Amino acid sequence: MSPRPNRPLPLATPAGIEVLTKILTQGPIPRVEIARRTGLSQAAVTKAVAPLIEAGFVTDQPVAADPDAPVESQLGIGRPVSPLTVVADSVSVIGLKVTPTDLIGVTTDFTAGIRAVRHLRLPDTSAETVTAKLVELARELIDVIEDPESLAGPLVGIGVAVSGDVDAVHGVVRDSPFMGWRDVPLAASLTASLDVPVVVTNDVRALTVAEHWFGVGVNADSFAVVTIGSGVGCGLYINGEVVSGAHGVSGELGHLPLAPGDLVCTCGRRGCVETVASSDAILARARKTTGKPKLDLSGAIELAHAGNEHAREAFDRAGEVIGSALAAMVNLVGPELVVIAGEGVADYDLYEQRMREAFAAHAFGAAGDCRLMLRSHTFDDWARGAAATVIRSYVRGEPPLQR
């Protein structure tokens, strides 16, 4: 049996889950506004909130009514309103991001606010080594949470974000080309060592959950997160949910066959977007065309900014393929917003024009009105995304954090 969080939420009904989700993602928010947005009666909202307030997960702090606020969000002009807000320090969460060279760990509060950050270098990428180092890093972060001076709430779960095909239901990394892993039961191994509920998920999907609950997606009807760096990934929020796919795979933008067929991807297939648009692919192209085999990525960026036509061509080619991939995705699912994120966005200016031109050329009809937004992310943000998946599972009562 999986361990349970040591501070269970007093949520017995779907209405309670819906109310807490609204407070967590859209608070501070008055009861009357929750009722309006959920369709529940004010009595039902009050009934759902009462045990949360009593247990210390939610608080209502009376404030003076804002005369400029919408009438429906007030309890009466001139009367005090009692907006509900989550008590951030009521619980703590750990988020871990796995890369081929480093582990990045954060502790967060109930609102996914980062409280502590730790990085750990990896000597190799074997599943055994990485699992042992994840346990080491998690224990270090547990010590941070349990330090009385930290004033942190009790730990309720650990999230781990890994690139590739991840079976989140069973916590198994089925295929991670970057890590060289196949069928690694990561959640079970970590749970056995740490005795804490562990959620393992695809890293881009974790970022998408964070944006949905705590970022640009809070009030969006639909959006996509596209990450550009060592790989090219895509997370989708459509019809009220982050898309997981029937088999746990969805949004694999980096593996659309839009590049030349003679280029072999890290996944073993040919013609994937990543063979042209990943940072490794851009660097390989720049090395070949400039005749500088020892060129590093920062050097390629510097040459491109200086106007070197060969270095520019590598970024232009990447931009064109990314733009075509974005158009294909937008044509298929129609999000209102695409957030472009990841470590590769620092060089966004080098391929933005070609990317936007290709997107405009291939987006069909009104799909071309989709907004493309740059949002810089660090590896700490990836780890925060892993923590956000734990918070979502904790609120919803999903395995392994079920009540």
Side-chain angles (χ1 to χ4, degrees):
M1 179 179 293
S2 298
R4 299 291 178 261
N6 58 11
R7 194 173 185 204
L9 279 164
L11 295 174
T13 65
I17 294 172
E18 187 174 11
V19 168
L20 179 56
T21 301
K22 281 288 184 289
I23 299 169
L24 183 61
T25 61
Q26 299 178 23
I29 182 171
R31 290 169 175 81
V32 65
E33 185 65 11
I34 296 173
R36 188 184 72 82
R37 295 183 190 183
T38 62
L40 297 168
S41 68
Q42 289 191 50
V45 171
T46 297
K47 182 178 180 181
V49 165
L52 292 168
I53 293 176
E54 183 178 356
F57 290 100
V58 171
T59 185
D60 52 353
Q61 298 291 334
V63 297
D66 180 359
D68 297 321
V71 171
E72 65 268 23
S73 70
Q74 301 181 38
L75 297 182
I77 298 297
R79 296 171 56 192
V81 298
S82 299
L84 297 164
T85 187
V86 165
V87 177
D89 291 329
S90 56
V91 299
S92 294
V93 178
I94 289 174
L96 305 172
K97 160 65 175 167
V98 178
T99 81
T101 59
D102 296 87
L103 301 179
I104 300 90
V106 301
T107 67
T108 81
D109 58 28
F110 200 5
T111 65
I114 294 177
R115 296 302 180 91
V117 179
R118 298 290 187 274
H119 291 196
L120 188 62
R121 192 77 176 172
L122 287 174
D124 62 70
T125 60
S126 70
E128 294 78 13
T129 296
V130 175
T131 300
K133 289 295 183 181
L134 281 168
V135 170
E136 179 183 334
L137 181 56
R139 285 175 174 160
E140 181 179 346
L141 291 169
I142 290 171
D143 288 342
V144 171
I145 290 170
E146 293 181 346
D147 182 345
E149 295 185 1
S150 74
L151 302 179
L155 176 65
V156 296
I158 296 172
V160 184
V162 186
S163 66
D165 177 1
V166 179
D167 178 355
V169 174
H170 300 98
V172 175
V173 180
R174 290 186 291 216
D175 184 15
S176 178
F178 286 146
M179 299 303 296
W181 292 358
R182 290 190 67 87
D183 297 321
V184 176
L186 190 58
S189 298
L190 294 175
T191 300
S193 296
L194 297 167
D195 197 32
V196 178
V198 175
V199 177
V200 178
T201 188
N202 170 270
D203 54 358
V204 182
R205 200 161 299 131
L207 266 185
T208 308
V209 170
E211 292 292 352
H212 171 212
W213 277 50
F214 305 106
V216 299
V218 168
N219 295 310
D221 291 328
S222 60
F223 70 93
V225 174
V226 174
T227 58
I228 302 171
S230 298
V232 177
C234 177
L236 300 168
Y237 173 74
I238 305 292
N239 295 331
E241 190 54 82
V242 174
V243 178
S244 295
H247 304 288
V249 177
S250 64
E252 289 295 340
L253 199 73
H255 298 288
L256 291 179
L258 299 178
D262 60 329
L263 299 177
V264 181
C265 184
T266 55
C267 72
R269 297 166 182 82
R270 293 179 177 271
C272 295
V273 168
E274 285 186 6
T275 62
V276 170
S278 70
S279 54
D280 289 344
I282 292 172
L283 177 58
R285 179 70 175 180
R287 282 175 172 173
K288 179 180 179 180
T289 57
T290 60
K292 298 179 182 293
K294 294 185 178 181
L295 190 69
D296 60 13
L297 187 59
S298 61
I301 293 168
E302 185 177 346
L303 282 177
H305 277 134
N308 182 285
E309 62 178 326
H310 297 297
R312 286 286 325 187
E313 185 268 347
F315 286 95
D316 284 344
R317 190 170 78 146
E320 181 148 358
V321 171
I322 292 170
S324 299
L326 289 175
M329 180 268 292
V330 170
N331 287 345
L332 283 171
V333 299
E336 65 181 83
L337 168 69
V338 174
V339 180
I340 300 169
E343 62 269 29
V345 301
D347 319 308
Y348 181 74
D349 62 300
L350 288 172
Y351 48 79
E352 177 181 12
Q353 181 177 348
R354 187 62 64 88
M355 182 194 74
R356 289 187 179 275
E357 289 172 353
F359 175 78
H362 296 290
F364 177 76
D369 295 333
C370 174
R371 289 187 296 135
L372 306 181
M373 174 190 293
L374 174 66
R375 189 176 178 89
S376 180
H377 277 82
T378 67
F379 280 117
D380 296 352
D381 293 308
W382 291 89
R384 176 179 179 265
T389 64
V390 173
I391 294 169
R392 184 180 68 166
S393 294
Y394 179 58
V395 170
R396 293 179 173 182
E398 298 170 339
L401 293 102
Q402 67 266 34
R403 286 178 282 280

